[in-house]
Amino acid sequence: DFLNALNEVRPAFGVSEEELESRVQGGVINYAKHIEEIFTEGKLFVQQVKNSERTRLMSVLLSGPIASGKTALAATIALGSDFPFIKLVTAEGMVGMSENARVSYVNRVFEDSYRSPLSVIVVDEIERLIDWVPIGPRFSNTLLQTLMVLFKKQPPKGHRLLILATSSERTMLSRIDMTKSFDAELAVPNVGNIEELDRVLQSVDYFADPNIRVDILQRLQGYTGTEKVNVGIAKILLIAETAKQDVDTVSCFVETLARAIPMD
Amino acid sequence: DFLNALNEVRPAFGVSEEELESRVQGGVINYAKHIEEIFTEGKLFVQQVKNSERTRLMSVLLSGPIASGKTALAATIALGSDFPFIKLVTAEGMVGMSENARVSYVNRVFEDSYRSPLSVIVVDEIERLIDWVPIGPRFSNTLLQTLMVLFKKQPPKGHRLLILATSSERTMLSRIDMTKSFDAELAVPNVGNIEELDRVLQSVDYFADPNIRVDILQRLQGYTGTEKVNVGIAKILLIAETAKQDVDTVSCFVETLARAIPMD
Amino acid sequence: DFLNALNEVRPAFGVSEEELESRVQGGVINYAKHIEEIFTEGKLFVQQVKNSERTRLMSVLLSGPIASGKTALAATIALGSDFPFIKLVTAEGMVGMSENARVSYVNRVFEDSYRSPLSVIVVDEIERLIDWVPIGPRFSNTLLQTLMVLFKKQPPKGHRLLILATSSERTMLSRIDMTKSFDAELAVPNVGNIEELDRVLQSVDYFADPNIRVDILQRLQGYTGTEKVNVGIAKILLIAETAKQDVDTVSCFVETLARAIPMD
Amino acid sequence: DFLNALNEVRPAFGVSEEELESRVQGGVINYAKHIEEIFTEGKLFVQQVKNSERTRLMSVLLSGPIASGKTALAATIALGSDFPFIKLVTAEGMVGMSENARVSYVNRVFEDSYRSPLSVIVVDEIERLIDWVPIGPRFSNTLLQTLMVLFKKQPPKGHRLLILATSSERTMLSRIDMTKSFDAELAVPNVGNIEELDRVLQSVDYFADPNIRVDILQRLQGYTGTEKVNVGIAKILLIAETAKQDVDTVSCFVETLARAIPMD
Amino acid sequence: DFLNALNEVRPAFGVSEEELESRVQGGVINYAKHIEEIFTEGKLFVQQVKNSERTRLMSVLLSGPIASGKTALAATIALGSDFPFIKLVTAEGMVGMSENARVSYVNRVFEDSYRSPLSVIVVDEIERLIDWVPIGPRFSNTLLQTLMVLFKKQPPKGHRLLILATSSERTMLSRIDMTKSFDAELAVPNVGNIEELDRVLQSVDYFADPNIRVDILQRLQGYTGTEKVNVGIAKILLIAETAKQDVDTVSCFVETLARAIPMD
Amino acid sequence: DFLNALNEVRPAFGVSEEELESRVQGGVINYAKHIEEIFTEGKLFVQQVKNSERTRLMSVLLSGPIASGKTALAATIALGSDFPFIKLVTAEGMVGMSENARVSYVNRVFEDSYRSPLSVIVVDEIERLIDWVPIGPRFSNTLLQTLMVLFKKQPPKGHRLLILATSSERTMLSRIDMTKSFDAELAVPNVGNIEELDRVLQSVDYFADPNIRVDILQRLQGYTGTEKVNVGIAKILLIAETAKQDVDTVSCFVETLARAIPMD
Ligand SMILES: Nc1ncnc2c1ncn2[C@@H]1O[C@H](COP(=O)(O)OP(=O)(O)OP(=O)(O)O)[C@@H](O)[C@H]1O
Ligand SMILES: Nc1ncnc2c1ncn2[C@@H]1O[C@H](COP(=O)(O)OP(=O)(O)OP(=O)(O)O)[C@@H](O)[C@H]1O
Ligand SMILES: Nc1ncnc2c1ncn2[C@@H]1O[C@H](COP(=O)(O)OP(=O)(O)OP(=O)(O)O)[C@@H](O)[C@H]1O
Ligand SMILES: Nc1ncnc2c1ncn2[C@@H]1O[C@H](COP(=O)(O)OP(=O)(O)OP(=O)(O)O)[C@@H](O)[C@H]1O
Ligand SMILES: Nc1ncnc2c1ncn2[C@@H]1O[C@H](COP(=O)(O)OP(=O)(O)OP(=O)(O)O)[C@@H](O)[C@H]1O
Ligand SMILES: Nc1ncnc2c1ncn2[C@@H]1O[C@H](COP(=O)(O)OP(=O)(O)OP(=O)(O)O)[C@@H](O)[C@H]1O
Ligand SMILES: [Mg+2]
Ligand SMILES: [Mg+2]
Ligand SMILES: [Mg+2]
Ligand SMILES: [Mg+2]
Ligand SMILES: [Mg+2]
Ligand SMILES: [Mg+2]
């Protein structure tokens, strides 16, 4: 299926697949139905850009809480397309650049993509690219306007582009009318409950033993008094690593995760 | 009639018709009475600029929701004039330019037009040209003031200019007193109801079969419980393309469109 | 009388009368008593600057709604003086200039005027000169302060200056205490009622027939249910031109004007 | 007395008395007791700076409504001192200068004064020097801070300085704590009532006849229904000049002044 | 005691004692118990910086109303230390400098101090150094942050620094959390009541006669109806100087001081 | 244990341990259970970065009131790791730098760390690094965004980085969603009560005698009427030093500390 497609390597030019692959190094755990659905829809958009007569450009927003797996999923969909041009646009690649330099940089990535017949661009963490901060609020309107224009700019004839953008600030994007700029949206939720957590922990080697997992889930519910989890998968995996350093791995994991679970 | 006039090609100098034509590539579907009325009024303004002794300049605003077809309609009216100078001013053409460069660019297009006896300039998406963002709110006042002055600046004697501007932010334009700067306004609404939607779908080849359309419209009303649609024509045509990639095109179309229909 | 005085041409140096004359090309229609009064007062100020021992400088504000005829009236008063230096300061003449360049430009016009024994400067649309926009609100404080200082700066001995400024944003000017900077004010109202409208239409050739006008006024009142009009003379004359392009000129005029009349 | 002292001319170096004298060209009318009191206090401050061991610097604020005569009174006090260095700092002298240039200019005037044993500097219209506008509000904080520091900066030993500043925005100065920076304050009110107006008109030659003045004052009270006037002396004198151009001078004066009197 | 210590002169390098001494030229009047207490605490801080193993840096804030004597007291404490490096940082020394130049200037003073084994820096009127104005409010955040960092920056080993800062805007400093940056605070109040005023006037030669003072204090209480004074010592001494110019010194002093006493 | 580990010196290259050591010169007093816990958790994070397959980057926030010991604790943890690259990023090191220079500086420290296999960076006082001031509020968004990106930027393969950041403005960090950027948090509280204060004073030589401490604590409670202290350890040690200069050390200590204890 789609996930397996990742293993098929493609001849590359102008591709920054390497960096994208580093975003899914830990692999993607199929811990809930919505994970599969996101891949199904992603595949549909890939096909539409590839085949549709009318649709030469498509922009898709993956939004969800911090650490919910947005970047990993966008990277997986991008790598799963068989497009010759795949690029990642990220704030990390622009530290220390002036606003103008950043606009040029982003613009150049898009200009490059217009020269390939089929392209995917992953635009990661829009809020960071536009220097968003809720106090004020402040942000680089120059970067924001550049993105809004590029997200709607048709590639020249014979060229096709899929844009996968991620953000954990959907409310802000909606206030600035940017959500309307996207042709489609994909929601990426947190790990929601005990059952989904169990499926995540199955993939963590030192929690492989089902008895340990039963113990963990029971103690966790003892702390929180609920079946809800609502923590990002990245956070859960990090806490598991911290716990691994402790002598009493299970206790450390349960206590730290319990503190991370939001109270209502 | 007016729509057919598009096929008559004109000798061109300084004309960027090509780009304008790309905005109506998909064609214009005559799905409601207001479409014809917009063209009738547009024709009247073209005649006034061409013939009236007193009126050497006219500025018209096409406003309506996102994806309602503003750009396509403005482009069609512009191309339907038989004016020798036709230009499109758009944010896409100015990505990465400094504010000053953009003012110069816009100013130059208008200066060029003053050299032609008869000109049309389509100023697309004013909100994007002025870097509008509702948070703050922020915008380039320099660009805004430049546009407001140019929209009222009489061409020299013996020269005539029709300005067709589009915007999906009419409320903002009205707050900044810009609507009063226009000599006339044309409203471009969404596809409003089931009946109008039916006429749109007639033009989509894989929904040509009336039975399929009856099925679609019934299932859609089943989902939404109303005859209202209120979705932009561009969005409807995009959803049709996405659905085409799916095995069950009709279901995919109905479900996706239903999600796009706003609740009251 | 004063209006006829326009026909007397004067020897000119440093005069931009030509551009000012283009602002009253359509002529001035004496459609109401206040038009004559504005000219009487204007003449008084011209005389005061020319003759009074104490008054070497006078600044007058013409304010009123958009399209009410402010620029045409200011231009007419300026041209009706027999001053050797007459200049128009307008945002159109400064498109694309930097703020500093604009301050220099305005300052130079005033410096030039100080070299002529008798000068009139028409400062058109203050709100546009200072880049005023009600959102924020924003404006160029540098331009504003320059104007406020120049409006009060005495010309050197033996030199005299009349400043005629126009604005449709009197409320704003009053909020920034600028109205107090003017030595006198003239209000320029809209065409107020059916009677005044009738006198305007008398001057439009294709509405010369009194029967046609009776028909127009009756149908208009049928639409609006009131004798009030409250539309700017420039707008009325524009609508008349649009209507002229239509087969049914009268209906088109009445309907478009009716839409332009504000509801209370 | 003090007013007469103006006639005594002093040997000057670095003095811009000429410009200051142009501010009191029309002369100062002794129309009320407070005028004399202002001069008495002004004289006291002049003496203190000249003689006091402790007081080498003194800053005085003259504040009052627009056109109340602040500049004329400050100029008169400055010219009435017998100090060898007298300078006027005014926004008119800095039109078109950058903020930095203006700071340097102001600073240089003060530096120059420190070289004279006895100096007076008239700082006219603080609100204009700092580009004050109540919308926002906005102003040049750089200019403001420069003034606040210079107003408190002691001249070097053996040098003495009197600063006379004027402003019609006392409320603003008080909000920014600038009033506290002054060592003393003098209030300059409007012409308050019929009686004071009468004494002003005595000095206007064409109202010399007492019967005319009685007529004017009666008719004015007929219009306003009150003995209050509350109009600046400069405005009253200007209206008198306008009226002089009219055939019916008295009516024109009374009507225009009546419109200028504020309603409560 | 401490006050006498001022007379002992120290060998100086890099010292700007001269300017500091000009701030206490008028001398310090020991008019209340808190004056002595301020000197006692000041002496303690001087000793701590000089002797304590742990404390190589100490920053002290002297705050109080305008004209209460903050600068004179800080200067006296600084001069009373026997530290070889004594500097005054003041806005007067930086008029006309750019923000960057001012940061460099302040930074250089501190860098210089780090080269002396024992240093005192008087940072006078923080609100003026940071261009504070309560409208907005506005201030130079760059200067503010520079001061906040320098106030906490440890000198290198073997070097010791005492910082004495003054401000009349304690509320503002507290709102920006700057008061917490200081290691200690000293409050400098106004002359509070009749009794303290009496002790101040004892030092003014022309009020030396006790009978005159009794007269003054009685008449003052007659005006104000209270024993409270609450006026800064600098203001009181200035008013005494103004009164000295008047024929009736006592009346002038009492009336002017009465106007300066705040009503509750 | 961990504290002792500080004595083991490591071979260093590119290490600024010296400056970090100056932050814990006074030593760390183990005055409460939470001090030990902070070290235990700190050690866990050091191990995770060193050993975990998945975790090549970890960012930890130490937050607490001013003077509570955040910097000393972060420095101790950093020095207690056996990582070859240890750096301190602090506002003191960047006084007078432009915003751009500061971004470059910070970025360079991180780039350097990516070249070492194992690195710790202490980012001290985030609020000062970003020029935070609560009035406005204002801050350098450029610095803030740079930090937010660098705190999440993975070092290249084979390289590992632990970030220890301190701040006394946790509320602000939470408002700008920065707390979510950290992988873990450590709270550093004030000295809470009499009992903890007693353990602090045991380490101060001149309060070594238990009877003196009993006396101090009793008198303190006499002043405050409570067992609560809630003062930062740095402040307590400073007050002890001031008291040492006084003849009556105990009284001075008790009175000054009592004033520093917050009232509820
Ligand atoms: N089903 C899954 N979906 C997403 N990520 C997964 C999944 N299973 C495992 N992962 C792992 O979880 C981590 C998700 O982190 P990722 O950085 O993508 O989250 P994010 O939402 O982009 O976080 P942030 O809000 O910080 O940008 C990755 O390491 C990824 O390999
Ligand atoms: N009657 C119609 N009016 C307008 N567009 C139509 C019509 N029929 C079909 N179309 C097609 O619908 C699309 C309208 O998209 P267009 O970009 O003009 O919308 P828009 O309102 O300008 O959108 P946006 O708000 O994003 O600028 C075009 O592809 C056009 O070919
Ligand atoms: N009595 C009149 N007063 C003024 N203008 C008149 C009159 N009669 C006819 N006109 C014509 O009406 C038009 C007035 O337009 P004008 O540009 O002066 O209005 P305006 O108030 O300056 O508009 P805007 O607010 O757009 O600046 C001119 O074309 C002028 O020739
Ligand atoms: N008693 C008086 N006091 C002041 N000015 C007087 C007096 N009598 C006559 N004048 C005249 O009145 C005018 C006062 O104008 P002036 O410019 O000084 O007023 P102002 O308060 O400074 O006005 P603005 O607020 O515009 O700066 C001058 O022409 C002056 O000659
Ligand atoms: N006990 C005293 N304390 C302080 N100043 C005194 C005292 N006795 C006399 N003085 C004199 O009073 C004046 C105090 O003025 P100073 O400039 O120090 O006040 P300030 O509070 O710094 O004022 P500002 O708020 O304007 O900065 C000086 O001239 C000083 O010589
Ligand atoms: N248990 C402890 N924890 C922290 N610091 C301690 C401890 N015991 C003693 N100290 C000493 O207390 C002082 C703590 O000051 P430090 O500068 O670390 O506080 P801080 O919270 O960083 O202050 P600031 O908010 O000003 O940055 C240091 O001098 C340190 O040597
Ligand atoms: Mg991500
Ligand atoms: Mg469009
Ligand atoms: Mg006009
Ligand atoms: Mg004045
Ligand atoms: Mg002071
Ligand atoms: Mg610290």
Side-chain angles (χ1 to χ4, degrees), chain B residues 36 76 84 100 107 109 124 158 166 171 186 222 250:
Chain B
E36 194 65 39
T76 308
N100 284 342
N107 197 22
V109 172
D124 200 27
T166 79
T171 313
L186 294 173
V250 164

Side-chain angles (χ1 to χ4, degrees), chain F residues 109-126:
Chain F
V109 172
F110 277 79
E111 292 291 349
D112 284 358
S113 81
Y114 301 150
R115 285 199 219 98
S116 162
L118 284 171
S119 308
V120 197
I121 299 178
V122 174
V123 180
D124 199 29
E125 286 188 275
I126 294 175

Side-chain angles (χ1 to χ4, degrees), chain F residues 4-51:
Chain F
N4 297 341
L6 286 177
N7 302 326
E8 301 166 33
V9 198
R10 270 141 288 105
F13 68 96
V15 172
S16 73
E17 295 179 4
E18 217 171 306
E19 218 182 329
L20 266 169
E21 273 160 13
S22 81
R23 310 285 153 148
V24 276
Q25 241 169 3
V28 166
I29 306 170
N30 195 355
Y31 71 88
K33 198 173 134 249
H34 66 252
I35 299 294
E36 194 65 39
E37 283 172 2
I38 287 167
F39 285 124
T40 309
E41 284 215 61
K43 203 174 178 177
L44 221 57
F45 299 140
V46 167
Q47 288 317 104
Q48 180 170 4
V49 168
K50 204 171 159 191
N51 302 325

Side-chain angles (χ1 to χ4, degrees), chain A residues 75-116:
Chain A
T76 307
I77 295 172
L79 294 167
S81 80
D82 54 352
F83 289 6
F85 182 100
I86 306 183
K87 279 273 185 190
L88 174 71
V89 172
T90 169
E92 289 177 15
M94 294 186 270
V95 176
M97 281 191 195
S98 73
E99 201 177 47
N100 284 342
R102 285 197 270 169
V103 167
S104 296
Y105 178 94
V106 172
N107 197 21
R108 205 148 357 117
V109 172
F110 277 79
E111 292 292 347
D112 285 358
S113 82
Y114 301 150
R115 284 199 220 100
S116 161

Side-chain angles (χ1 to χ4, degrees), chain A residues 152, chain B residues 64-70 168 188-191 231-236:
Chain A
K152 286 187 69 175
Chain B
I66 287 180
S68 62
K70 302 171 296 295
S168 57
V188 183
N190 273 337
V191 173
V231 175
I233 185 153
K235 185 99 191 171
I236 291 171

Side-chain angles (χ1 to χ4, degrees), chain A residues 47-48 51-52 54-55 103 107 137-139 141 144-145 148-149 152-153 157 175-177 180 183, chain B residues 25-26 66 91-92 95-96 125 128 131-135 138 169 235 237-238 241-242 245-246 252:
Chain A
Q47 287 317 104
Q48 181 171 3
N51 302 324
S52 160
R54 287 187 69 105
T55 317
V103 167
N107 197 21
R138 300 200 207 160
F139 53 93
N141 196 16
L144 171 61
Q145 299 289 338
M148 287 182 86
V149 170
K152 286 187 69 175
K153 183 171 178 176
K157 282 188 194 174
R175 276 173 65 200
I176 61 176
D177 288 343
K180 288 192 200 150
D183 295 315
Chain B
Q25 238 170 5
I66 287 180
E92 290 178 13
V95 176
E125 286 188 274
R128 211 45 58 233
D131 285 349
W132 168 259
V133 61
I135 294 187
R138 299 201 208 160
E169 294 278 355
K235 185 99 191 171
L237 297 174
L238 182 95
E241 288 296 306
T242 306
Q245 314 306 318
D246 203 347
C252 180

